[in-house]
């Protein structure tokens, strides 16, 4: 079918969560980093990226394109990192 073109860069997903309970409960925002591997047939396949941006992990996530557009954003100035990681992704 048709292939979707994504911006070259590392994508960030922010998830809200909480730690503790009662008086010690704290809300937090967890950021995870993702390398866009493929985008076609209305789905995006992503590979997890380590926090230090040095390696792509074997964790994959396949999500609908509409969900991707809502929940993921490109990390600023991440194109060079993306291009370096692209050399290691098969």
């Amino acid at each position: 079918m048709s292939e979707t073109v994504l911006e070259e860069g590392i994508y960030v997903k922010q998830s809200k969560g909480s730690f503790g309970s009662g008086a010690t409960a704290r809300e937090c925002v967890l950021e995870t980093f993702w390398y866009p591997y493929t985008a076609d047939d209305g789905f995006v396949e992503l590979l997890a990226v380590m926090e230090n941006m040095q390696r792509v992990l074997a964790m994959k996530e396949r999500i609908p394109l509409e969900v991707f557009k809502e929940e993921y954003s490109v990390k600023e100035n991440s194109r060079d990192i993306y291009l370096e990681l692209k050399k290691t992704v098969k």
Side-chain angles (χ1 to χ4, degrees):
M1 306 293 170
S2 65
E3 185 174 323
T4 303
V5 178
L6 300 176
E7 186 175 336
E8 291 183 331
I10 301 301
Y11 284 79
V12 179
K13 180 179 181 183
Q14 293 186 342
S15 304
K16 291 184 180 181
S18 62
F19 289 110
S21 62
T24 63
R26 301 287 182 260
E27 286 196 22
C28 66
V29 175
L30 174 66
E31 284 189 336
T32 53
F33 303 100
W34 299 89
Y35 175 92
Y37 187 60
T38 60
D40 57 10
D41 293 333
F43 286 89
V44 177
E45 191 168 292
L46 303 159
L47 298 172
V49 176
M50 292 179 68
E51 282 188 40
N52 65 7
M53 305 291 170
Q54 298 296 311
R55 278 189 16 186
V56 174
L57 303 172
M59 283 181 23
K60 286 185 183 179
E61 189 164 310
R62 187 171 191 260
I63 58 172
L65 181 59
E66 294 307 315
V67 172
F68 175 78
K69 288 178 180 179
E70 291 175 14
E71 297 182 2
Y72 294 78
S73 60
V74 175
K75 179 175 173 51
E76 284 186 38
N77 303 317
S78 65
R79 186 172 187 272
D80 291 339
I81 297 167
Y82 169 85
L83 294 174
E84 282 301 311
L85 291 175
K86 187 175 184 177
K87 296 174 187 175
T88 66
V89 176
K90 309 245 186 268

